Amino acid sequence: MEDRKLTVRAVDRALDILLCFTRNSDLGLTEISSQIGLHKSTVHRLLTTLEEKGFLIRNAATEKYRLGIRIWELSMHLPAFDESAALLLPAMERLRDRLGETVSLYLRDGIERVRIQAVQSQQAIRRVAQIGARLPLSVGASSKVLAAYAPPEVLAELLEGPGWPSSIEREVYRTQLKEIIRQGYATSFEEREPGAAAVAVPVTGRSGNVVAALSLSGPVSRLSQETLVEYAAVLGEAASEMGMMIP
């Protein structure tokens, strides 16, 4: 019985920590400890667990926490989609209607990306994007955008990890990331799926940090390199609009 009480108390405290982020997007250990009335050592242990499970993300530079990608993943199963993601739909739908291809939004989770929102093309031949799908950061336009703006330690884990594809030269990949930062977009041709092409741009939140990747994808028969470069500018405009809605 005692173990059960302790477990419930720990869950209650962890939820109290998550609820702190209904009022602020970034909080430090001292702030959280003060808000929920617990000692810093106790809060730190809970924060570590929540970070390991993906419910919180810690900024190594500021030592502050913010909500993690697991919150987005849970929201995918709500009857009504998460309000934050719903706010982005109009801009994505306008982009789809203007360019005629599937539009997706991705967040980075460690060395993977997760599709948190998608608007499907209405053309007969189209690329169908499943919300909630997890994909590696090694291939694809959105992957390379998220990797290009990832912290150095994340990039090192990606490149040196056992899951790195032997078919991709690491130095070539590093060069691609530098070029993406310089030009502001990434393209891909059949890197992950035969017959599919994509272009992606970074989405910068109000904090000034790159928080997501916005992509447009479709069949290579409609998306040439020249077309993707042309569409990159249009995506950039949409990403600027969407970034104002993201903390």
Side-chain angles (χ1 to χ4, degrees):
M1 176 67 84
E2 182 64 18
D3 288 343
R4 183 181 178 187
K5 288 181 179 178
L6 290 173
T7 301
V8 171
R9 185 169 63 179
V11 172
D12 189 58
R13 289 173 170 177
L15 291 174
D16 283 341
I17 288 176
L18 292 176
L19 289 173
C20 288
F21 292 87
T22 61
R23 300 181 293 275
N24 302 91
S25 59
D26 295 86
L27 291 169
L29 172 61
T30 300
E31 296 168 290
I32 296 172
S33 177
S34 176
Q35 285 192 32
I36 66 176
L38 288 177
H39 195 275
K40 288 184 181 179
S41 61
T42 301
V43 174
H44 184 265
R45 289 195 297 271
L46 292 167
L47 287 171
T48 299
T49 299
L50 289 169
E51 183 183 4
E52 290 177 349
K53 293 294 185 181
F55 288 95
L56 292 178
I57 297 173
R58 183 176 66 89
N59 186 316
T62 64
E63 294 295 326
K64 293 203 171 194
Y65 295 82
R66 66 188 310 160
L67 292 177
I69 201 166
R70 291 296 182 193
I71 302 297
W72 284 94
E73 289 184 305
L74 287 174
S75 71
M76 302 303 157
H77 301 284
L78 289 172
F81 191 63
D82 178 81
E83 180 181 355
S84 299
L87 287 173
L88 306 178
L89 273 174
M92 295 178 69
E93 289 173 343
R94 287 194 295 273
L95 191 60
R96 185 271 316 276
D97 294 342
R98 180 176 177 181
L99 302 180
E101 304 294 351
T102 295
V103 177
S104 301
L105 188 70
Y106 294 90
L107 294 184
R108 181 182 63 80
D109 183 22
I111 57 173
E112 295 181 310
R113 59 175 161 129
V114 179
R115 186 182 293 118
I116 65 165
Q117 185 61 286
V119 179
Q120 312 295 342
S121 169
Q122 296 176 334
Q123 301 201 51
I125 300 175
R126 61 186 178 184
R127 184 170 181 273
V128 177
Q130 180 182 1
I131 295 176
R134 280 183 171 271
L135 302 166
L137 282 187
S138 53
V139 293
S142 295
S143 288
K144 289 183 286 189
V145 164
L146 293 173
Y149 294 93
E153 61 271 20
V154 172
L155 187 56
E157 180 184 359
L158 172 66
L159 291 169
E160 304 305 326
W164 183 259
S166 59
S167 60
I168 303 176
E169 295 185 17
R170 291 176 174 82
E171 288 309 310
V172 171
Y173 187 82
R174 289 182 186 273
T175 300
Q176 289 178 340
L177 299 189
K178 292 177 182 178
E179 181 65 13
I180 288 166
I181 293 176
R182 186 192 67 79
Q183 65 189 12
Y185 65 87
T187 61
S188 65
F189 286 90
E190 300 185 300
E191 288 187 9
R192 197 176 62 82
E193 295 179 18
V199 58
V201 299
V203 179
T204 302
R206 296 195 301 273
S207 64
N209 298 318
V210 172
V211 295
L214 177 67
S215 81
L216 177 140
S217 59
V220 294
S221 59
R222 290 199 300 264
L223 297 177
S224 65
Q225 177 65 36
E226 293 74 16
T227 301
L228 292 180
V229 172
E230 177 185 343
Y231 285 178
V234 182
L235 260 69
E237 295 174 1
S240 297
E241 176 186 346
M242 294 167 64
M244 298 303 296
M245 305 177 194
I246 303 175

